[in-house]
Amino acid sequence: GRDYHLIAVGIEHPVGWNQPARTAIADVHAQGGVAIGGHPLHGFAEGYDAEALAELDRLEVAYRDALASTIASQVEEFYRRTMARNPEVAAIGSSDFHTDGPMASCRTFLLVRERSEAGVIEAIRSGRTVGRCGTERMRGRPELVRLLEPYRNALAPPSESFAQQGAMVVVWLALVALALV
């Protein structure tokens, strides 16, 4: 939307972007999907009024851009506001970012009952998720974070290789070239 970003998982049909956040969330729910508030920074989160916050299933709280000190406080504030409206909202880690940085450094750990699409959606809907970016703190329900804490080092993403860094530079150069054309 113009003043919010929303990620939908488990839907069959596109959700209109030119509508209030709470209406888009209702459209996602009507299709049996889950609605995730995407990168809740200024410019991407103002459309989430109190009703929309209460209806969000999950919230993207661990992503590369959120590590910047100027942005981290915005993300933390939005997370607290959402938790106040919806204590069951689950934390999502994502590689969705709008600057440079290593891919796949941010992740969502799902505690699923079965390894299937339905199992993933059910775990997200039930809030059995923990989000983490790199080696930063894990976010999610305290009991789930405590459950994963002993595996903290094993759950860290592998270091980015020189080839991956080079590929990212090539991608950015291609994007700049396209913008100039």
Side-chain angles (χ1 to χ4, degrees), residues 4-7 36-45 48 59-61 63 65-66 74-75 78 94 96-98:
Y4 67 92
H5 280 187
L6 181 69
I7 302 162
I36 302 167
H39 41 274
L41 304 172
H42 296 303
F44 302 116
Y48 290 111
L59 183 62
E60 189 179 42
V61 295
Y63 55 100
D65 289 353
Q74 291 177 39
V75 174
F78 191 86
S94 175
D96 176 34
F97 58 90
H98 297 260

Side-chain angles (χ1 to χ4, degrees), residues 16-52:
W17 65 271
N18 197 11
Q19 59 184 330
R22 66 179 169 265
T23 306
I25 292 167
D27 288 353
V28 171
H29 290 162
Q31 294 185 52
V34 291
I36 302 167
H39 41 274
L41 304 172
H42 296 303
F44 302 116
E46 284 76 12
Y48 290 111
D49 60 13
E51 292 84 16

Side-chain angles (χ1 to χ4, degrees), residues 2-180:
R2 295 179 200 272
D3 56 357
Y4 67 92
H5 280 187
L6 181 69
I7 302 162
V9 177
I11 62 172
E12 296 290 324
H13 307 287
V15 173
W17 65 271
N18 197 11
Q19 59 184 330
R22 66 179 169 265
T23 306
I25 292 167
D27 288 353
V28 171
H29 290 162
Q31 294 185 52
V34 291
I36 302 167
H39 41 274
L41 304 172
H42 296 303
F44 302 116
E46 284 76 12
Y48 290 111
D49 60 13
E51 292 84 16
L53 291 178
E55 293 301 317
L56 277 175
D57 298 299
R58 310 300 160 240
L59 183 62
E60 189 179 42
V61 295
Y63 55 100
R64 194 79 193 140
D65 289 353
L67 297 178
S69 61
T70 56
I71 294 173
S73 61
Q74 291 177 39
V75 174
E76 189 63 34
E77 185 271 329
F78 191 86
Y79 186 48
R80 279 194 301 268
R81 214 168 34 120
T82 305
M83 291 292 288
R85 294 284 180 185
N86 182 359
E88 298 300 313
V89 74
I92 298 291
S94 175
S95 290
D96 176 34
F97 58 90
H98 297 260
T99 59
D100 62 346
M103 296 292 287
S105 65
C106 301
R107 305 197 172 163
T108 301
F109 301 102
L110 300 160
L111 288 87
V112 299
R113 291 195 169 97
E114 66 176 63
R115 296 177 96 180
S116 68
E117 180 181 338
V120 167
I121 290 173
E122 191 273 330
I124 293 171
R125 187 171 282 125
S126 299
R128 292 191 319 274
T129 65
V130 173
R132 183 178 185 201
C133 200
T135 57
E136 295 292 316
R137 77 181 181 119
M138 290 186 264
R139 293 176 181 224
R141 286 157 71 186
E143 67 273 16
L144 299 178
V145 170
R146 280 192 301 276
L147 182 68
L148 295 179
E149 190 62 39
Y151 309 100
R152 181 180 213 27
N153 293 335
L155 297 174
S159 297
E160 187 177 45
S161 72
F162 181 73
Q164 289 170 315
Q165 291 173 352
M168 183 60 74
V169 168
V170 170
V171 167
W172 278 107
L173 289 174
L175 290 172
V176 169
L178 281 173
L180 294 174

